[in-house]
Amino acid sequence: MTSLVEHPRRLHVVDPITGESRADHDIADEAAVRTAVQHARDAAHWWASLDARHRRRHLLAYKALVASRIDELADLVRSETGKTVAGAQLEVMLAVEHLDWAARHARRVLRRRAVSSGLLAFNQASSVEYVPYGVVGVIGPWNYPVYTPMGAISHALAAGNAVVFKPSEFTSGVGAWLAQRWSELLPDRPVLQVVTGDGTTGAALCRAAVDKIAFTGSAATGRAVMAACAESLIPVVIEGGGKDALIVTADADLDAAAQAAVFGGLGNAGQTCAGVERVYVEQAVYEPFLAKLADLVRQVRPGAEPDAPYGPMSTPAQPGVVLSHITDAIDRGARAVVGDASSVRPPFVEPVLLAEVPEDSTAVTDETFGPVLVVNPVADADEALRRTNATTYGLSGSIFTRHRRRGLALAARLRAGAVSVNSVLGYAGVPSLPFGGVGDSGFGRVHGADGLREFSRPRSVTWQRFRPPIDVMTLQPAASAMRASLAMFKWRHGRR
């Protein structure tokens, strides 16, 4: 974790598990950020001028370098976030898979393609091509300091942009490591740079004349980023967190659903934007499901060991947020099945399972971002969907049912950017699928073909193949031309 101490213009990084000092990083001011963006602007011209196959070669070399040093990077992630070794390694593996996909598919996805010109412009040949924005600013989170920002970084690079990356102040070392590996391959081509700092650095990046911003963090900070970018009409991609639900139908495999809830809700100490925070269970199987889930939760204990189920809260403020949600739920009448307010023992929070939680409790309405599972009974799947969709968030969700058709039908009604049926986070490991949310979970997409196009501007191009026999694209079209055009128009569009 990171705290601003000792020197007002330095970030002092501390291991959240041991409390030991890790490193100091500069807080880049407005001048430093603008300098980085200017260097990126120069590098972007070179990078965009390369054939897509050459960019692919460089990106795959970068991928191989990151993958070959996974143990080093995972250790750094663990030292700055406190997550387990396995969790850090899995994060790096997922990030590399998405980087590999973006590098290998950018040429096909973004190549120029012909489109129909229609009847009115039948003498024109038409096409759409995708061109890079130029310089993309990426503002990353601390909970997944490799996987999450690399979703934007890898697709922005593959689309032909240069990137200036501002990592979270709590994981500055990870961001610096990623940029350093790029500089080892292309030391004179700053296509990927990092600027470390706090919120003032992020604000400076938004105002440094970049061409697009990709932000991941809270919805509140996302609004501030949008406001800053609006000053110059800079487009943004926002991923603002979630309050994701898992729906368990009466015909579901209860053992599988309970195991998925534990993984989705407690993994990474619950600090996952698309993790499971709410569980809605059809009344017919509510009690047996709750009993299975409680048995599994009781077996989980956080710890500092590398192979612990999960580690500490990564930031000093997060235990207080978790405690406030637990306290509010119990004060409003929730039943504490496993754990309670005493489970919060900073920097660790033992798993908490709350049942029959009022829907207006902050444990239901707000992002808890901790190892707390809320389980509520519902009359049927329709009620589960209504409650799931009632939140302002809409990042992802999960549905457990033995019937594929029913699961897909329920998924189609879920107000979310991604849905997993009979698993949680199933989409996270599929590089071809886009990721993003709606509502307070933001907008725009990373990953997949949509992620590549997110960091490209579509440009329409036409070229006249021959002079039109009936020309109305002139200041004073001939009366005969207008009569013929109107007759064709009415024939084509005026009939039912």
Side-chain angles (χ1 to χ4, degrees), residues 479-496:
S480 59
M482 287 304 300
R483 285 195 300 271
S485 295
L486 285 171
M488 293 172 59
F489 173 82
K490 292 177 181 179
W491 175 82
R492 178 171 171 78
H493 297 293
R495 303 177 300 165
R496 293 186 179 180

Side-chain angles (χ1 to χ4, degrees), residues 198-399:
D198 55 12
T200 63
T201 304
L205 184 58
C206 294
R207 295 186 171 95
V210 296
D211 299 296
K212 191 162 191 173
I213 286 284
F215 166 82
T216 302
S218 70
T221 305
R223 292 184 179 93
V225 167
M226 288 183 64
C229 290
E231 296 172 7
S232 302
L233 289 181
I234 296 173
V236 296
V237 180
I238 301 289
E239 199 261 271
K243 191 67 182 178
D244 293 358
L246 185 156
I247 296 173
V248 182
T249 65
D251 65 346
D253 181 334
L254 300 187
D255 290 319
Q259 291 168 5
V262 169
F263 170 69
L266 305 185
N268 198 34
Q271 299 169 125
T272 302
C273 56
V276 176
E277 296 209 4
R278 299 175 293 158
V279 183
Y280 292 114
V281 187
E282 287 192 308
Q283 186 68 62
V285 294
Y286 177 69
E287 290 299 342
F289 172 82
L290 187 60
K292 291 176 181 291
L293 182 58
D295 286 343
L296 292 175
V297 171
R298 289 190 184 99
Q299 299 172 32
V300 178
R301 286 291 179 272
E305 303 80 14
D307 59 349
Y310 66 85
M313 297 284 95
S314 297
T315 68
Q318 202 55 38
V321 174
V322 176
L323 177 60
S324 69
H325 286 199
I326 295 170
T327 301
D328 181 72
I330 294 175
D331 288 348
R332 289 173 178 265
R335 177 160 58 105
V337 180
V338 178
D340 52 25
S342 65
S343 300
V344 180
R345 302 169 184 173
F348 295 96
V349 177
E350 295 186 352
V352 176
L353 176 59
L354 302 174
E356 295 97 58
V357 181
E359 291 291 309
D360 60 351
S361 168
T362 54
V364 174
T365 61
D366 297 355
E367 190 173 35
T368 303
F369 230 53
V372 178
L373 281 167
V374 168
V375 185
N376 281 344
V378 291
D380 51 31
D382 287 337
E383 182 183 354
L385 284 170
R386 285 195 300 272
R387 293 195 184 191
T388 296
N389 292 339
T391 179
T392 58
Y393 293 100
L395 189 55
S396 67
S398 305
I399 298 168

